[in-house]
Amino acid sequence: MDLLLTARGGDGQSGSSESELAVGPEVDAAGDLSAGLARSRGGFMARIRGILRSGPSDADWEAVEELLISGDVGGGLAMEVVERARARKDAPSAEAAVRAELTARLLPGEHGWRPQPGNPGEPAVILVVGVNGTGKTTTIGKLAHLYRVEGSSVLLAAADTFRAAAIDQLRIWSDRTASQFVSHAPGADPAAVIYDALDAAVARHCDVVIADTAGRLHTKSNLMDELAKMRRVIDKRLPGAEPEVLFVLDATTGQNGLSQARVFNETVGLTGIVLTKLDSTAKGGIVFAIEDSLRVPVRFVGVGEKLGDLLPFEPEAFVGALFG
Ligand SMILES: Nc1nc2c(ncn2[C@@H]2O[C@H](COP(=O)(O)OP(=O)(O)OP(=O)(O)O)[C@@H](O)[C@H]2O)c(=O)[nH]1
Ligand SMILES: [Mg+2]
């Protein structure tokens, strides 16, 4: 990779510690969707395929519904998929019918989606939110990698000011991806970090700003209010920006993730979802449940801990990898 840039990292509050970086982002192979879905494919999906191949009886269809539920597809949706698959006359096989119905439950993919600036010459803004430990900061590193390799300039905003270690963790990702970095001292107002990061990004003509936020439980209203304030600050500094508000959901959380997502959606208006740790779960069916319950698109899936392990979500490729 021959990308070169001059990054001015440093502390947005003091304006100090400018560092010259003459390095490109680390290059990392793209992750493998099929490998990432191996547990789900070999788990509930393998059993579903086994049943469907033998010309399913009524009892078999019931078993398929139960298996879909066990894979986190959700009760209502599993029933709908089975009912519609059974009624389908056009499919060459029961497996093809279920596959088509599952694909039809997903929102249409936006091939090549990328965040857009609200106004020409301004940066596109991504605000990354979610409960504790879902993979927000790691996802930001992976996103930065993706956009840097494409040749975009990226600025990471350390608006998780809750722990000093969180700021350091993001700084390491900014170094690895040769992204710019704005932080304040631990304990500072996260909304102020975002304001300064947007200022810096405009001044430095950055293409994309990605803001990290502290993990928070959706039940803590003061912390949810803090998030709403961050969202408002973006509108204030960049009117019309229409930031991408990405909710990072840990796929291993199961159906609890849906109630988390709903509260975050009410507070900050989610525009996209990243489903992480798909490699660690046999319940990849949560993808169908989350899109169905929120009507917010899954933008990316996380399939591992390496920089390249974030893949754009393509509905047909996803269902294809589930069936194998
Ligand atoms: N296997 C796997 N692990 C992941 C994935 N994404 C993140 N992780 C791991 O999940 C753990 C938590 O990741 P973080 O990025 O620190 O999570 P966070 O949401 O920023 O956490 P807080 O800031 O504490 O709320 C780390 O060990 C990551 O390596 C993924 O797609 N697959
Ligand atoms: Mg974090």
Side-chain angles (χ1 to χ4, degrees):
M1 190 52 49
D2 58 358
L3 284 170
L4 289 176
L5 88 165
T6 303
R8 287 186 171 76
D11 185 313
Q13 207 167 40
S14 65
S16 63
S17 71
E18 299 220 330
S19 61
E20 299 285 307
L21 282 175
V23 291
E26 273 182 30
V27 181
D28 208 345
D32 183 341
L33 180 64
S34 178
L37 282 175
R39 289 184 189 216
S40 295
R41 185 172 54 250
F44 77 104
M45 285 306 300
R47 296 177 61 195
I48 288 176
R49 283 196 314 277
I51 293 174
L52 292 176
R53 277 190 189 135
S54 58
S57 64
D58 286 355
D60 287 341
W61 278 113
E62 264 176 47
V64 168
E65 188 177 319
E66 289 303 318
L67 284 165
L68 286 171
I69 294 170
S70 77
D72 260 347
V73 169
L77 206 56
M79 189 165 78
E80 194 184 322
V81 165
V82 165
E83 269 177 14
R84 296 180 69 120
R86 290 186 74 170
R88 248 183 131 109
K89 298 281 179 272
D90 57 341
S93 66
E95 180 177 322
V98 171
R99 187 171 169 152
E101 284 304 328
L102 279 172
T103 309
R105 301 278 84 70
L106 294 172
L107 299 171
E110 289 177 63
H111 189 74
W113 175 86
R114 62 188 332 292
Q116 296 299 326
N119 300 295
E122 288 180 356
V125 182
I126 305 178
L127 182 67
V128 178
V129 304
V131 304
N132 309 72
T134 56
K136 293 178 292 300
T137 309
T138 310
T139 296
I140 290 170
K142 293 170 176 176
L143 275 175
H145 175 68
L146 202 73
Y147 296 133
R148 291 288 297 118
V149 167
E150 284 178 11
S152 297
S153 53
V154 174
L155 186 147
L156 303 185
D160 178 355
T161 59
F162 196 62
R163 293 176 294 122
I167 300 172
D168 294 338
Q169 190 189 354
L170 193 70
R171 194 192 310 271
I172 291 168
W173 286 116
S174 87
D175 288 344
R176 285 188 68 187
T177 58
S179 297
Q180 307 190 43
F181 184 69
V182 168
S183 67
H184 286 191
D189 178 358
V193 177
I194 291 187
Y195 197 96
D196 280 358
L198 296 178
D199 259 355
V202 169
R204 300 172 196 175
H205 306 290
C206 288
D207 298 314
V208 186
V209 176
I210 313 176
D212 194 15
T213 63
R216 65 201 68 222
L217 275 178
H218 54 300
T219 48
K220 299 264 183 198
S221 61
N222 56 331
L223 295 180
M224 295 306 283
D225 290 347
E226 182 188 79
L227 210 54
K229 182 177 167 193
M230 288 183 236
R231 177 67 189 76
R232 287 196 301 274
V233 155
I234 298 172
D235 286 336
K236 197 166 149 199
R237 180 58 188 83
L238 294 179
E242 296 185 20
E244 176 74 8
V245 184
L246 269 187
F247 179 70
V248 177
L249 177 65
D250 177 342
T252 67
T253 323
Q255 299 283 314
N256 274 346
L258 302 184
S259 40
Q260 295 168 7
R262 274 187 217 108
V263 181
F264 275 86
N265 196 23
E266 282 158 20
T267 309
V268 274
L270 305 178
T271 58
I273 295 162
V274 180
L275 202 62
T276 57
K277 310 188 196 182
L278 265 179
D279 53 307
S280 305
T281 180
K283 299 189 165 198
I286 190 73
V287 169
F288 302 95
I290 187 89
E291 279 204 345
D292 185 65
S293 95
L294 254 71
R295 311 308 296 168
V296 171
V298 173
R299 300 269 193 222
F300 297 95
V301 291
V303 293
E305 295 181 273
K306 295 197 302 298
L307 268 180
D309 288 335
L310 186 75
L311 305 175
F313 181 69
E314 311 270 359
E316 296 202 344
F318 183 86
V319 176
L322 266 186
F323 277 84

